[in-house]
Amino acid sequence: MQSLYVEGNSVMHRLSPRLKLLSLTIFGVVLFISGNLILLSIAVLLTAVLYRMVGLPLADGLRRLRPIFLTIAVVALFNLIFNPWQEALVPLLRLTALMLLAATVTATTSITEFIDEVTALARPLERTGWVQADDIGLALGLVLRFVPEIVGRYQAIREAHKARGLKVRPTTLLAPLIILTLKDADNIAAAIDARGIRRHVS
Amino acid sequence: MSTRDLVLTALFAAIIVALGLLPPISLGFIPVPITAQSLGVMMAGVVLGARRGAIAVLIVLVLVAIGLPVLSGGRGGLAIFASPTAGFLIGWIFAAFVTGYLSERLVNHQQSGLVQTVSFFLTAMAGGIVVLYAFGITYLATVAGLGFTKAFVGSMAFIPGDVIKAFVAALLGRAVMVGYPLLPSRA
């Protein structure tokens, strides 16, 4: 699975991931406090410039944001039917600026940096007994390892249906897929424990 | 959490991601794709129960946040959370939890297949529709400045599809309960 990270050496690439995430949060809060159209327009311009600096070709950069921007635009349009234009424009600018900065952070932070940050964030929660921070990386790795496997299995089940002339329905397809996949859990768990990967579990 | 539960949640998260690779169906005038992924959220509840189901969904959202295109249509990254419909994504966690919580309490092995299926259908509706839309609509109303009534009306277009998904999730929940029951060994 190709991550949305873009190789590069821009200012945003060099900033620490924690600082970027913190700024994104603060920026989000500030955006939602302010209702000033001029201020929000400046925010959109600034974040657009920042997003351009990532080094993504213009077409690629736009393609990434299209589905999100479309949702924002449709809601703004829907808003425009019922409310005066200023009231429809504020959320449009606000969410667009937030989207641009968030996309910039995503494009300039590698998956490894992100996982380190998430793990560090979960570390204080260990004392509550809810989560072991090291398990997060393990779980994420497991997901990425098994997605292709599951897609392959889905195709195999579908072909088996076709070969036997059965109609492809979600229930006849998904039930065996889920059962087959979850039945692997015991073996995978045994393999993880045999290697002593989760040292905190006796 | 035992290693087995950790693996089960990760595998289910992988199933939800894989469901996103199936082509989405767009509802014409609104560009929110009706995908099999919200079916995955209901299934997480009926198959894994409250805690493991919610964690499976949470793992998917963490993958989105760290910049992997795991949502249907290859969407991903932090920008997704700037969308006015992000409340539905956040609501996924609670939807899976409530579906799972009710499933753990309402469904058991002594019941007939029909009772199990109907119970699963009701739990999937309660979690995957009532709880999910409560989050989604509240977020849409406040963040997009739509107001509750309009956000509610606008979201109603998706209810029929979600009722069908709840029905499919119920059939699957029952099938997995027969073939490989996990709900009784809840984490």
Side-chain angles (χ1 to χ4, degrees), chain A residues 71-150:
Chain A
T71 321
I72 298 175
V74 165
V75 170
L77 218 65
F78 193 66
N79 215 339
L80 194 62
I81 303 173
F82 301 101
N83 293 326
W85 64 272
Q86 292 95 330
E87 265 177 61
L89 208 56
V90 169
L92 177 74
L93 293 173
R94 201 179 260 165
L95 293 174
T96 306
L98 192 60
M99 168 188 82
L100 287 166
L101 188 63
T104 310
V105 174
T106 297
T108 57
T109 313
S110 71
I111 299 293
T112 325
E113 284 176 321
F114 263 126
I115 293 182
D116 288 347
E117 221 41 58
V118 175
T119 312
L121 210 66
R123 197 70 69 188
L125 290 175
E126 280 186 342
R127 239 170 281 156
T128 63
W130 290 345
V131 66
Q132 290 294 322
D134 292 331
D135 284 351
I136 296 171
L138 176 61
L140 298 184
L142 273 174
V143 179
L144 298 180
R145 161 71 180 75
F146 280 96
V147 169
E149 200 112 330
I150 291 167

Side-chain angles (χ1 to χ4, degrees), chain B residues 106-124:
Chain B
L106 288 177
V107 189
N108 62 56
H109 273 287
Q110 278 82 53
Q111 294 162 333
S112 72
L114 183 68
V115 175
Q116 286 179 352
T117 310
V118 172
S119 307
F120 274 140
F121 178 62
L122 294 177
T123 60

Side-chain angles (χ1 to χ4, degrees), chain B residues 39-53:
Chain B
L39 169 65
V41 172
M42 295 178 189
M43 290 194 313
V46 297
V47 171
L48 294 180
R51 191 150 169 254
R52 288 177 302 191

Side-chain angles (χ1 to χ4, degrees), chain A residues 19-30:
Chain A
L19 195 64
K20 279 187 274 191
L21 290 170
L22 215 64
S23 323
L24 182 61
T25 315
I26 296 168
F27 185 68
V29 172
V30 171

Side-chain angles (χ1 to χ4, degrees), chain B residues 147-162:
Chain B
F148 270 94
T149 328
K150 283 157 220 153
F152 185 83
V153 173
S155 305
M156 283 306 110
F158 299 96
I159 296 273
D162 281 341

